[in-house]
Each structure stands twice: as C-alpha cells, then as structure tokens.
Amino acid sequence: MDLKKLTADLEAKNPAQPLYIQAAKEVLETIVDFVNENPKYDKYAIVERILEPERIIKFKVTWVDDKGNIQINRGYRVQHNMAIGPYKGGIRFHKSVTEDTMKFLAFEQTFKNSLTTLPMGGGKGGSDFDQTGKSEGEVMRFCQAFMTELQKYIGPETDVPAGDIGVGGREIGFMYGQYKRLRGEHVGVLTGKGLEWGGSLIRPEATGFGSVYFLEGMLAAKKDKLAGKRVALSGFGNVAWGAALKLTELGAKVVAISGPDGAIVDEEGINTPEKINYMNELNQTRNNVVAPFADKFKSAKFFPGKKSWETKVDIAMPCAIQNELNGDDAALLIKNGVKYVVEVSNMGCTADAVTALQKAKVSFAPGKAANAGGVATSGLEMSQNAMKLSWSAKEVDEKLNGIMNSIHANCVKYGTEKDGYINYVKGANIAGFIKVAEAMIAQGVAY
Ligand code: 2IT
C-alpha cells in the first residue's frame, strides 16, 4: 500500500472530518509495513475498502419538550463493517456528536470488536441531543423518537446498539421499550439492558474492569505490580466508576477524577464505596459537574478548569472523551514520571500526545484495546440472550478477564519492537485488521 497516496485520498474524500482522519491515519501508519509484507491485502484492496463505511444512516429526530415546543435533533447510525459479525457498537448522546464523530467511532469499533475474539462487526450511533437540564419525560420522549427511526435499520442479527456517553441503563430502557412496542419482539437488539429483562451481570462495570485487567497485563510485561500505584482518572461516568472500583480492589490509589468544570484531587484516595458511588450519583444528576465532590468529602480538593493530568501519578487513565489528553498534558505527565497511560475513552489522546508518550517509552495502551471489555461483555450479553439464559457475575467476569488477557497477548505479538518496547497501538491495529481482512477476502467482492 502507498501510505502517502492513501493518506492524501483519505483527506480529500473526508473534508471537514478531522476525527475520522485522525483515527484512520493512526491505523494506516501502524499497519503499512505489515500490509506491504502481505501482498494479498493489496490485491483485494482491503485497506481502501475498510476506509469506507458500509453505510451511513442520518435522520431527523423530532420530539416535544415539557413546554409543548417541538425540538429537532440529528440522529446517526454508521454501519462500518459487517465482515466478522452483525454491526455492534454504542449510541452516544452528546452535544458534540457529528457525522465525523460517528464515523471515527464506528471505524475504531470495527478494530476493537475484532480484538475481542467475539463475532461482532463495527458500528456506532448517536445524536447531538444534550441531556443537561432535561426532565425524565423529555429524555424518554427523545429516546422513543430516536428509536422510532433507528428500529428500521437494526435487529439482533443485523445491528445491535448499546450505550456510550449520555446513554446509560435508563436510556437503553426507554429505547428498548419503544423497539418492543413497534416490532412486537422481545429480542437481544440492544445490550446494556436491565438485569430483569435480558441484561448481563458485570456489563455496567465491564469497560472499567476490563481496562484494569489490561493494565495488569501491561504491568506484568514490565515485571511491575499495581498495588500501591497512584492513578489519575478523568471523567466521572460509568467507565471511570468501574475503573476506580477495580483499581481500589487491587490496591492502587485513585487520587484524581475530573469533569468539564475541573478536577478533583483527593490525596487520601477515592477509595471508599461511598466516594466511588458518589461519582455515579453525580453523573446521574446529569448536571455535568464534579465540584460537589469536594463539598461532600473533606479530603478532596476542587481545582476549577483544571484536568487530572497535573497531579503526580504512576498511571493515567483518560475515561472521558476523545482528545482529552493533549501533547502538553503528555509532556507534563512525562515530567512527573508517569509510567503507564491507558486510554479508556475512545481516542482519548491526541496524535501528538501518543507520539510523545511512545518516544518517552511510557507504556501506552490505545482505547480500542484497553476499553474493549465493554463491548466484549455486550457480546457476552448477546450470547446469553441467544441461549436464553444468564450467567453468574463470576462467569462473566472470568470470561471478560480472559478476553482482556488475549487482547494483551495479541498486542504483544504484533506490537513488540526490536528494543523490546511494546507498541500497543501497532499491535492492536494489526491484530484487529487481520481478522477483518481475512473475513473480507473469504467473502468475496460483488461485481
Ligand atoms: O465504545 C464502546 O465500545 C462502547 N460504547 C460499547 C459498545 C457496546 O456495544 O457495548
């Protein structure tokens, strides 16, 4: 493959889509040598084909607010690649959502889902709907209106959405109810469902737990241990919550979390069930702020407008949103002696942050490997739905742990460089690519 030409085409074909270009470039740059050593991928134009989503569905969502006014939002579903299984990926409700956001997330999802070892293709959906200040009735009516259109394009064997930023158990419930009402079917069309109606144990914790299992692999590869390590997280949603629970259980000390309003630093550690659960409570009030954490707990300090990355830590785990950790943040973390950066948000680090961390030989895991535990457990929910039974928390957790170990091993296999440094970005991209590419070759081209 000709990297220069492919990059130029990518930029020309996707004008004003910087996130998609960023995500795709990172993959192109890390798989180029591997693809050139295996000419069959060029023969079948696999890279060019993976760069085009199979389908982009874009629709209008109209709903009525509490005052009786008609509101209009945009809805999306990008069905990126179905080679290895039905499209699978979350739904994001956030004011920043655009077609570009959806395209980059669906692209990442294809590689991530391939890494999980489970048969899932890649997709992503969402809306620019902003929950802040909305009543429960407004959220419900929005979710119903969104699903009224989305249900035309999804199904348990074609496309299985789940949650993401702004979409938790409550929103999944409202959307599932509407699907069921319109189609008259109680099927595994969404994951992240409630336990009483087809959900899986451990799904809420899975992204955070999985990222810590992956981190354990990174530590073991350096003959290092988690116990006693200082950790900075960003975000205070479901993902940061699961990570804080597992980190604390395994003896690490979470000293920072953050929200759009600033950072919370707690030198005693965010390490009691009361503190960790309060993160979730704050998140569920949907006011998008962490400041009240410092009012509630004396040992916590609030730094308005600051990020978590100014605190001296061994491990940094961005758990909020894309490009939340930039080159300056990376430089500061490196200066403060960070050893591990685990991207738990999707594309949480800017390209220059990744370059700086790798150059400094910091052990760096990309989101598509480290956060794959969420979608992997969604895959386990699909298996349970298909078998019409439910596994115990222990069974699901063991499977999740096994999957994260296998992803780590695959990253080591394809990402270890001559000097022994594990380039997890390269490893994850090559390992994710191979499975999808082989499936595409096997299934032929229609012409
Ligand atoms: O980014 C992600 O992997 C998710 N939001 C979870 C997707 C899923 O289908 O569980």
Side-chain angles (χ1 to χ4, degrees):
M1 67 183 244
D2 180 345
L3 181 62
K4 237 171 137 182
K5 183 176 180 309
L6 274 174
T7 308
D9 285 353
L10 172 75
E11 286 170 350
K13 282 187 182 168
N14 301 281
Q17 296 195 329
L19 295 171
Y20 182 65
I21 291 170
Q22 180 186 342
K25 256 188 180 171
E26 181 211 272
V27 168
L28 293 181
E29 285 163 8
T30 47
I31 65 170
V32 58
D33 293 341
F34 178 78
V35 170
N36 286 337
E37 284 157 20
N38 295 277
K40 66 178 169 181
Y41 298 128
D42 263 352
K43 179 176 168 206
Y44 293 102
I46 296 298
V47 178
E48 289 84 345
R49 286 159 66 192
I50 287 184
L51 286 173
E52 267 325 304
E54 288 174 8
R55 202 167 294 103
I56 298 180
I57 300 149
K58 192 170 169 184
F59 52 94
K60 176 173 69 175
V61 186
T62 47
W63 54 285
V64 180
D65 69 18
D66 287 346
K67 296 199 183 90
N69 297 321
I70 296 170
Q71 300 286 343
I72 301 152
N73 286 96
R74 286 183 170 176
Y76 305 89
R77 186 74 183 165
V78 176
Q79 297 179 329
H80 181 261
N81 190 293
M82 207 197 213
I84 64 171
Y87 303 111
K88 179 83 196 89
I91 291 178
R92 176 177 293 190
F93 293 162
H94 192 263
K95 55 181 188 278
S96 67
V97 164
T98 59
E99 187 176 316
D100 183 26
T101 326
M102 297 287 102
K103 267 176 76 175
F104 111 71
L105 288 165
F107 177 83
E108 291 279 293
Q109 200 79 44
T110 292
F111 289 82
K112 182 195 312 192
N113 292 3
S114 166
L115 288 169
T116 64
T117 73
L118 302 174
M120 301 183 289
K124 198 84 185 191
S127 172
D128 59 357
F129 176 72
D130 182 6
Q131 306 230 348
T132 320
K134 301 284 192 300
S135 71
E136 187 172 81
E138 289 176 324
V139 171
M140 183 178 79
R141 290 193 296 281
F142 173 79
C143 288
Q144 292 173 339
F146 183 84
M147 183 52 89
T148 298
E149 182 65 19
L150 185 68
Q151 56 91 20
K152 296 174 187 168
Y153 312 104
I154 61 175
E157 308 296 341
T158 47
D159 186 354
V160 183
D164 192 82
I165 297 170
V167 179
R170 177 178 73 163
E171 291 72 25
I172 291 290
F174 292 150
M175 287 193 273
Y176 192 78
Q178 186 70 350
Y179 182 91
K180 193 169 60 72
R181 222 165 270 127
L182 293 169
R183 305 279 286 256
E185 293 171 344
H186 199 301
V187 292
V189 67
L190 299 179
T191 60
K193 299 187 288 300
L195 288 178
E196 305 80 2
W197 40 282
S200 175
L201 286 160
I202 308 291
R203 178 65 191 89
E205 293 89 346
T207 312
F209 277 22
S211 69
V212 179
Y213 297 150
F214 194 89
L215 168 64
E216 284 189 294
M218 296 166 78
L219 287 148
K222 296 185 79 162
K223 310 222 173 340
D224 202 354
K225 288 221 153 54
L226 186 56
K229 292 281 190 298
R230 286 168 61 87
V231 188
L233 305 177
S234 63
F236 59 111
N238 175 260
V239 174
W241 166 77
L245 274 178
K246 188 52 79 177
L247 286 162
T248 302
E249 185 193 317
L250 299 176
K253 189 172 173 185
V254 177
V255 292
I257 58 164
S258 66
D261 56 332
I264 292 286
V265 177
D266 187 341
E267 281 299 332
E268 279 182 16
I270 298 166
N271 53 8
T272 60
E274 207 194 348
K275 285 180 179 173
I276 298 173
N277 289 334
Y278 190 60
M279 287 166 68
N280 243 358
E281 208 178 302
L282 274 179
N283 183 246
Q284 269 147 30
T285 59
R286 322 243 167 202
N287 288 325
N288 239 352
V289 289
V290 285
F293 198 95
D295 301 331
K296 194 167 161 76
F297 301 105
K298 270 207 209 81
S299 54
K301 288 197 179 63
F302 176 61
F303 296 92
K306 297 285 186 195
K307 295 180 175 180
S308 303
W309 320 130
E310 297 186 31
T311 320
K312 191 173 159 46
V313 288
D314 308 295
I315 301 166
M317 301 177 73
C319 299
I321 200 161
Q322 67 269 5
N323 290 334
E324 53 171 311
L325 195 160
N326 63 30
D328 292 342
D329 300 325
L332 193 57
L333 283 166
I334 294 165
K335 193 172 135 234
N336 283 334
V338 77
K339 298 276 182 313
Y340 305 88
V341 176
V342 184
E343 209 180 48
V344 197
S345 40
N346 290 308
M347 205 166 76
C349 298
T350 61
D352 55 340
V354 177
T355 306
L357 292 166
Q358 290 180 329
K359 215 170 138 205
K361 302 288 175 195
V362 171
S363 191
F364 171 76
K368 62 169 78 75
N371 75 25
V375 73
T377 307
S378 276
L380 300 176
E381 183 173 330
M382 289 167 72
S383 310
Q384 293 169 79
N385 292 167
M387 292 191 284
K388 306 201 189 299
L389 49 75
S390 32
W391 291 327
S392 68
K394 186 166 172 275
E395 274 177 286
V396 179
D397 198 25
E398 277 170 11
K399 287 188 166 67
L400 168 63
N401 200 318
I403 289 170
M404 297 316 294
N405 285 338
S406 120
I407 299 175
H408 186 272
N410 249 328
C411 289
V412 172
K413 180 173 174 192
Y414 293 104
T416 304
E417 293 181 340
K418 283 195 193 83
D419 63 357
Y421 177 73
I422 304 168
N423 184 334
Y424 285 95
V425 179
K426 183 175 165 192
N429 287 338
I430 295 176
F433 172 82
I434 292 173
K435 202 166 136 188
V436 176
E438 295 299 332
M440 288 171 74
I441 293 171
Q443 292 166 21
V445 185
Y447 62 103

